[in-house]
Amino acid sequence: MGNIIFYILSGITLCSAFFVILSKNPVYSILSLVITFCCITAHMLLLSADFLAVVNIIVYAGAIMVLFLFVIMMLNLNEAVTQGTKSFISKLAAFISGGLLLVALVFLLKGQQIGAVDLSKLDPNFGSAQELGKILFNQFILPFEITSVLFLSAMIGAVMLGKKDLKDN
Amino acid sequence: MEIPVEFLLEKTIIVVAVFTVSLVIAMYSTYAERKVSALLQDRIGPNRAGPLGLLQPVADGVKFFMKEEIIPSSANKFLFVLGPSLAMMTACLTGAVIPWGSTLEINGSIVPLQVTDLNIGVLYIFAVVSIGVYGVMIGGWASNNKFSLMGAIRASSQMISYEIAMGLSIIALIMTTGSLSIRDIVEQQVDGHWNIIYQPLGFFIFMVCAFAECNRTPFDLPECEAELVGGYHTEYSSMKLGLYLFSEYINMFISSAVMSAFFFGGYDIPYIEKLGLDHNLVTILGTGFFFFKIVLFIFLFMWVRWTLPRFRYDQLMNLGWKIMIPLAIINIILTGSGILLFK
Amino acid sequence: MQLTNRSKVVVDKNMTLMERMYVPAIVSGMLITLSHLFKKKATIQYPEQQREFSFVYRGKHILKRDEQGRENCTACGLCAVSCPAEAITIIADERKKGEEHLYKEEKYASLYEINMLRCIFCGLCEEACPKDAVYLTEELVPASYNRKDFIYGKDKLVQPLGTSAHPKTYKPYKK
């Protein structure tokens, strides 16, 4: 049964992911990206990574995508604006960067073990908030702290950008 | 993967019961809203349909179904229908992780009165609430009306802003309870050790944010009748409008349930074990007490709505970002130092 | 000059911290609304309960009869002359033989119309009438879809036979 769910989900994920880049209307693109994220969340649930799954929904589908949608609705980008022909150079740049991403992904997948993971052999607490917290604060404490400093600086930067406008007025 | 039939049956009954109860409570919330508003304004309120007007929600429902359904010609038809459906769906999803009562013993098997006890129940609620923004946003945008769009944008920015303070206030609560499972949080509050005693500031922040998340007065800017006509549901009519209004009331019911589960002991009646009653009876009484708390919270929602005026938009954002978030961070620091000192 | 003690001087001072928190003000406001929960309700359940009219209320006109059921009006036209809205139209006629039981005097109004859309219910016709014929009752003039339905003729204005003599105690809806 797990396999059937996996294949159905994968199909939906791929279809919606393709729709993201093929759709002419940016709002449709974003909505199908949200569906893609929801499907990825379901994949994570199948891999019994509950915490990551829910955080994925909260952060990506719930916050970042809403901001994307927000901006597109505010700018009111309709099909006429976005359909304008792109120059040859930008097409070339898109092709090269996309190709590089594909190469990187294939390279990453080369060494990986592909196939079903036996979930019954896993620790029952695997993927739970407690386990993740223990690993994050023991094994990966340095990257975690560095990331938090990065976020703090980003936050301060945003506050400074916001403050600057006030002084000018 | 084998799933036993009894398990499926049990869960189906609980799911249907939770769904029905939340719909019925939402239905009668509309009646209660009109009645409470009338009583607070020295009026009587609906009293024509049935005894004391108790059939008024049924009459309203029939009216919603009978009304002409209008889809504006310039609207995006698919998204226009998707919006209210999404709003209703996300509103109904949240009830799955709330423990409505302790356990019942039927024929020797123990049945917990909860659809599922996720070990990340708190986060699940947040995830569903954050998805709930889409219903409003899609509906507002698909209407192709500037008032709807304004309402939708206000709704989404308001919800995103207040989600942060809400999450931070819950982090302080989780620091004291040490679990993300809502049943664990409720079980820890037995015999009157309710979290409101340890987290008064956290509760206050959570309550204010819950008001904002439900788009209730004083934070009902998205629908702001005075300046935005009807906000995101300006163009909606018939049952699609009904779904939007209904999802608001379900959200209100669920956030009342969450507040009473997180901070007011859920289904806990202090010291009822001392009476030595039958376990099943205690469970049923506890569930009744839980619903009593929920009704009190729903009354609070309505009481506030018919007392306070609406915030201005900049005041709303100021309150969210400059007061609620710093307060929540202070609350986290206080809770942390309290845990270090006393435990 | 101070008329009441309720006036408040507006001061543009900064609010104290307590006032800026708004919570005490919100709580006091909510207590006020809560107290209204238990107050007497102002609603009147209309079709079942009706409000008493004021004694001086002026509603639909009535053309009086005397004790023997004869119409008082002699078509003198004073009401039409006094009417500031020019709502009254009268055509006079002479009483024939055998109509003594219908009309009190030799002259009577064969047509007596009041345009209720023009009428301002000032009651000047009632004051002008020398024969005690026109009175304004407590009856309301109902709404209608057509303008011509508002021109009330004698069929609607003359007091029905066998009803009370005094106009103010004549309440057709409250028998």
Side-chain angles (χ1 to χ4, degrees):
Chain A
M1 204 173 110
N3 268 339
I4 302 167
I5 297 176
F6 172 78
Y7 283 118
I8 294 172
L9 269 178
S10 305
I12 301 173
T13 316
L14 287 178
C15 285
S16 52
F18 270 115
F19 199 69
V20 174
I21 45 174
L22 294 179
S23 155
K24 292 255 163 61
N25 189 334
V27 173
Y28 279 142
S29 285
I30 288 203
L31 292 178
S32 43
L33 193 55
V34 172
I35 296 172
T36 317
F37 279 132
C38 291
C39 291
I40 290 172
T41 302
H43 278 299
M44 286 176 176
L45 284 178
L46 280 181
L47 295 169
S48 75
D50 301 358
F51 183 77
L52 274 185
V54 171
V55 166
N56 187 41
I57 285 272
I58 296 177
V59 174
Y60 283 100
I64 294 181
M65 281 299 110
V66 172
L67 289 179
F68 272 42
L69 199 59
F70 201 83
V71 170
I72 282 180
M73 282 180 183
M74 288 281 251
L75 295 178
N76 204 11
L77 290 174
N78 46 26
E79 290 176 35
V81 175
T82 48
Q83 257 178 349
T85 48
K86 306 250 167 25
S87 68
F88 176 72
I89 295 180
S90 64
K91 275 181 187 166
L92 188 73
F95 180 75
I96 290 174
S97 53
L100 280 177
L101 187 67
L102 187 71
V103 169
L105 281 177
V106 169
F107 186 71
L108 274 176
L109 282 175
K110 219 179 78 179
Q112 292 295 316
Q113 172 218 345
I114 296 171
V117 181
D118 192 3
L119 290 176
S120 55
K121 278 184 192 162
L122 284 173
D123 186 29
N125 268 333
F126 178 79
S128 70
Q130 283 92 341
E131 284 299 306
L132 202 80
K134 275 175 197 157
I135 294 172
L136 213 56
F137 283 98
N138 288 320
Q139 208 175 333
F140 295 107
I141 182 75
L142 187 66
F144 181 80
E145 287 300 327
I146 290 174
T147 320
S148 63
V149 169
L150 188 70
F151 275 122
L152 186 67
S153 59
M155 226 162 80
I156 292 170
V159 170
M160 289 312 288
L161 283 175
K163 270 263 183 283
K164 210 175 158 189
D165 280 8
L166 278 179
K167 266 178 197 167
D168 288 346
N169 293 335
Chain B
M1 245 198 293
E2 278 294 303
I3 300 169
V5 182
E6 300 88 51
F7 176 80
L8 270 183
L9 191 70
E10 176 198 315
K11 288 302 176 196
T12 314
I13 292 172
I14 294 176
V15 166
V16 171
V18 167
F19 190 65
T20 319
V21 164
S22 34
L23 286 188
V24 167
I25 291 212
M27 217 165 110
Y28 274 91
S29 296
T30 62
Y31 168 75
E33 174 100 81
R34 296 172 66 176
K35 207 73 178 172
V36 167
S37 75
L39 292 176
L40 290 177
Q41 295 167 356
D42 294 347
R43 296 183 284 116
I44 291 176
N47 64 348
R48 297 280 149 168
L52 291 171
L54 277 173
L55 294 178
Q56 189 66 43
V58 182
D60 287 345
V62 170
K63 192 190 98 176
F64 267 130
F65 275 111
M66 294 304 192
K67 283 257 174 176
E68 187 190 354
E69 206 158 328
I70 300 166
I71 296 182
S73 57
S74 57
N76 186 323
K77 303 227 168 28
F78 174 66
L79 294 182
F80 193 76
V81 180
L82 183 71
S85 336
L86 210 58
M88 191 69 183
M89 190 194 80
T90 47
C92 290
L93 272 178
T94 338
V97 289
I98 291 167
W100 301 102
S102 184
T103 52
L104 279 179
E105 280 179 39
I106 304 165
N107 294 333
S109 62
I110 292 172
V111 180
L113 290 181
Q114 186 179 16
V115 175
T116 172
D117 182 21
L118 287 183
N119 60 1
I120 42 158
V122 178
L123 291 177
Y124 171 83
I125 287 183
F126 271 90
V128 174
V129 165
S130 64
I131 290 291
V133 188
Y134 285 108
V136 170
M137 258 190 123
I138 290 173
W141 183 79
S143 301
N144 201 5
N145 172 332
K146 57 184 91 163
F147 294 116
S148 301
L149 185 63
M150 284 292 282
I153 284 172
R154 281 185 177 191
S156 46
S157 52
Q158 172 182 327
M159 280 168 137
I160 293 173
S161 312
Y162 278 82
E163 241 165 52
I164 300 168
M166 199 183 211
L168 289 177
S169 73
I170 283 300
I171 284 175
L173 177 76
I174 290 166
M175 281 161 73
T176 60
T177 58
S179 173
L180 284 169
S181 151
I182 303 180
R183 182 167 285 270
D184 283 359
I185 292 175
V186 173
E187 295 286 345
Q188 281 173 1
Q189 303 180 49
V190 284
D191 290 345
H193 290 291
W194 293 354
N195 280 329
I196 178 76
I197 303 165
Y198 307 110
Q199 287 289 332
L201 186 59
F203 168 67
F204 179 72
I205 297 164
F206 189 85
M207 191 180 68
V208 171
C209 295
F211 273 83
E213 289 288 316
C214 292
N215 292 336
R216 294 285 299 186
T217 326
F219 304 102
D220 63 339
L221 286 143
E223 32 202 291
C224 219
E225 303 90 349
E227 38 189 292
L228 290 183
V229 192
Y232 56 87
H233 51 57
T234 305
E235 295 286 352
Y236 280 89
S237 59
S238 182
M239 203 56 210
K240 289 204 283 296
L241 174 68
L243 284 182
Y244 267 133
L245 301 181
F246 228 68
S247 67
E248 185 189 318
Y249 282 101
I250 294 178
N251 279 335
M252 203 165 88
F253 166 61
I254 295 292
S255 38
S256 303
V258 168
M259 274 193 278
S260 30
F262 281 0
F263 294 99
F264 286 87
Y267 48 81
D268 164 53
I269 308 176
Y271 304 112
I272 194 156
E273 272 83 30
K274 297 267 164 67
L275 292 173
L277 292 169
D278 183 45
H279 179 69
N280 281 355
L281 185 67
V282 170
T283 302
I284 291 166
L285 282 179
T287 307
F289 196 51
F290 188 41
F291 274 95
F292 174 68
K293 287 173 196 167
I294 292 172
V295 167
L296 281 187
F297 269 112
I298 291 178
F299 175 72
L300 180 73
F301 269 94
M302 289 169 183
W303 181 15
V304 167
R305 169 162 181 188
W306 296 101
T307 303
L308 299 182
R310 169 186 303 135
F311 278 112
R312 219 168 49 217
Y313 195 64
D314 58 321
Q315 291 172 329
L316 173 97
M317 283 296 156
N318 268 344
L319 183 70
W321 288 95
K322 291 189 185 163
I323 296 170
M324 283 302 157
I325 293 176
L327 262 186
I329 292 173
I330 289 171
N331 189 37
I332 290 175
I333 295 168
L334 285 179
T335 313
S337 40
I339 290 171
L340 280 182
L341 279 178
F342 298 114
K343 281 189 183 165
Chain C
M1 187 180 69
Q2 197 179 8
L3 292 173
T4 60
N5 297 323
R6 283 176 303 196
S7 62
K8 268 186 185 168
V9 182
V10 179
V11 185
D12 194 18
K13 70 169 173 55
N14 286 328
M15 286 193 287
T16 59
L17 180 71
M18 210 49 188
E19 282 171 333
R20 264 189 287 139
M21 269 167 60
Y22 286 115
V23 178
I26 287 173
V27 170
S28 70
M30 286 181 60
L31 287 178
I32 289 172
T33 43
L34 190 69
S35 74
H36 277 268
L37 205 60
F38 309 105
K39 281 194 179 146
K40 195 174 162 288
K41 305 302 169 207
T43 310
I44 291 168
Q45 300 277 342
Y46 170 62
E48 294 93 29
Q49 283 174 27
Q50 282 186 18
R51 243 160 105 163
E52 282 296 311
F53 280 115
S54 150
F55 184 69
V56 292
Y57 184 83
R58 299 188 295 261
K60 200 195 95 175
H61 309 70
I62 188 171
L63 284 175
K64 297 275 308 162
R65 295 176 193 272
D66 66 358
E67 292 79 18
Q68 292 147 38
R70 298 173 301 185
E71 284 177 24
N72 279 353
C73 180
T74 63
C76 62
L78 279 178
C79 49
V81 170
S82 69
C83 183
E86 298 184 3
I88 304 178
T89 314
I90 303 175
I91 294 177
D93 214 339
E94 210 167 313
R95 186 178 70 184
K96 307 256 171 12
K97 262 229 166 344
E99 289 180 338
E100 286 87 355
H101 65 288
L102 289 176
Y103 311 110
K104 201 176 177 182
E105 318 230 346
E106 293 94 64
K107 201 160 133 257
Y108 74 98
S110 65
L111 179 108
Y112 193 104
E113 279 181 353
I114 301 178
N115 187 339
M116 290 300 174
L117 291 175
R118 301 199 64 132
C119 178
I120 57 171
F121 302 97
C122 60
L124 284 184
C125 47
E126 183 183 302
E127 272 179 46
C129 185
K131 295 288 180 188
D132 239 14
V134 168
Y135 277 100
L136 275 68
T137 62
E138 290 182 356
E139 199 179 330
L140 295 168
V141 177
S144 179
Y145 289 106
N146 297 313
R147 298 184 78 88
K148 67 174 195 302
D149 291 348
F150 287 101
I151 298 169
Y152 280 36
K154 278 181 81 172
D155 53 330
K156 288 183 181 165
L157 291 174
V158 178
Q159 177 189 359
L161 281 166
T163 46
S164 159
H166 194 272
K168 288 293 175 193
T169 55
Y170 171 64
K171 292 170 184 169
Y173 286 148
K174 295 183 190 174
K175 270 180 201 162

